[in-house]
Amino acid sequence: MRRVVLLHGLGNSGAIWSACAAHWRPDVEVHAPELPWGSAGIAGWRHERDSAGLLAEVLAAVPGGADLVVAHSFAAMPLLELLGRRAVAGDPPGVAGAVLVNPFYRPSADDFPWAMIAPLLASFPATMAEGVRLQSGTRPIDPALRADIAQRLCEFVGPYGWLRFLDAYLSTPLVPVHTIGTPCLVIGGDRDTTADAAEARTLAAALPRGRESIRTGGGHFPMLADPVWFTGAVHDFLDGPAERARSGSGAYPVGT
């Protein structure tokens, strides 16, 4: 049995993975913890400045340790930071592999012009609405109601949550990705209007053991839009690079 931990993004919850539930193989044990930056509100997280440390605690709490961590959107940034910290310290990564789904990443501080702030902020409600639409499945939701739910999610995140996101994004050039030896699969969508697929490609190329999978026609929530494809991609990575890393050393878990 191999353990996969699913980390949801900002303003989402563990329910974001629900469409995948019927498609995981019997030999995969799935954990989808609720994280402090979830859709229920961020009262306990709004002043938090060490989300990577929080993820370390979450992963350490998985019975037997995590074999593979799948991190969506915002969650990919603290996961990268955690892997980078451990690599620089010479510590085991704690996992055999990581899947970074629709991540945000820019390699240089000069890649963040002033003009990027307004479009990024403006895209957030539309991204939330996309998630609401996809989670509704075949049940139609009135567009006005969907927009209202998305706006409420934005209010739950609030300015503090947004600043935590922006700070993490602006800090991605400081993550020593070149030191991360953990096998990583970076998934992007060429129609993602929030996390540009070009950033997924850049990140995959910067990681020593990174590989990219850019979904044609894919948006920001591939686990909802095409759960069969998504779980298949995770299974293939779990059976390939992650399994080779797992078999190569029995010492990768940290804190278990």
Side-chain angles (χ1 to χ4, degrees):
M1 184 68 69
R2 286 172 290 176
R3 292 170 292 276
V4 175
V5 180
L6 308 174
L7 305 175
H8 65 73
L10 181 63
N12 298 136
S13 71
I16 205 73
W17 310 102
S18 59
C20 296
H23 305 291
W24 297 112
R25 294 191 320 225
D27 65 331
V28 173
E29 179 181 299
V30 175
H31 299 259
E34 297 297 334
L35 301 168
W37 48 80
S39 56
I42 62 162
W45 179 70
R46 58 169 60 103
H47 297 293
E48 176 60 55
R49 295 302 180 96
D50 188 12
S51 296
L54 287 176
L55 282 191
E57 295 176 7
V58 169
L59 297 178
V62 175
D67 293 301
L68 184 71
V69 181
V70 181
H72 179 238
S73 193
F74 169 80
M77 294 187 287
L79 178 59
L80 269 180
E81 184 179 350
L82 177 61
L83 293 174
R85 284 183 190 177
R86 289 176 171 172
V88 169
D91 295 332
V95 295
V99 180
L100 309 168
V101 186
N102 301 80
F104 297 87
Y105 174 77
R106 299 191 186 190
S108 170
D110 293 333
D111 295 329
F112 291 97
W114 176 260
M116 58 82 67
I117 298 176
L120 190 63
L121 180 59
S123 71
F124 193 54
T127 301
M128 292 295 101
E130 179 188 354
V132 172
R133 177 181 63 81
L134 290 170
Q135 285 189 79
S136 68
T138 58
R139 298 168 298 169
I141 294 182
D142 179 77
L145 176 59
R146 186 167 65 235
D148 183 64
I149 295 172
Q151 183 61 37
R152 181 63 62 88
L153 290 172
C154 292
E155 291 169 0
F156 282 151
V157 170
Y160 279 101
W162 175 256
L163 287 176
R164 296 290 77 75
F165 160 77
L166 187 60
D167 183 58
Y169 193 12
L170 293 172
S171 297
T172 54
L174 301 177
V175 178
V177 295
H178 65 284
T179 69
I180 298 173
T182 306
C184 294
L185 172 64
V186 185
I187 293 176
D190 66 0
R191 291 190 179 178
D192 188 341
T193 59
T194 302
D196 196 316
E199 298 189 20
R201 292 190 177 96
T202 299
L203 177 56
L207 288 161
R209 299 176 71 184
R211 59 173 62 184
E212 69 175 62
S213 179
I214 307 301
R215 182 78 167 149
T216 301
H220 195 64
F221 298 95
M223 73 291 285
L224 291 171
D226 195 343
V228 174
W229 175 85
F230 182 81
T231 53
V234 174
H235 287 148
D236 288 346
F237 188 70
L238 186 62
D239 291 341
E243 178 59 25
R244 289 192 291 273
R246 179 176 182 264
S247 301
S249 171
Y252 67 83
V254 168
T256 60

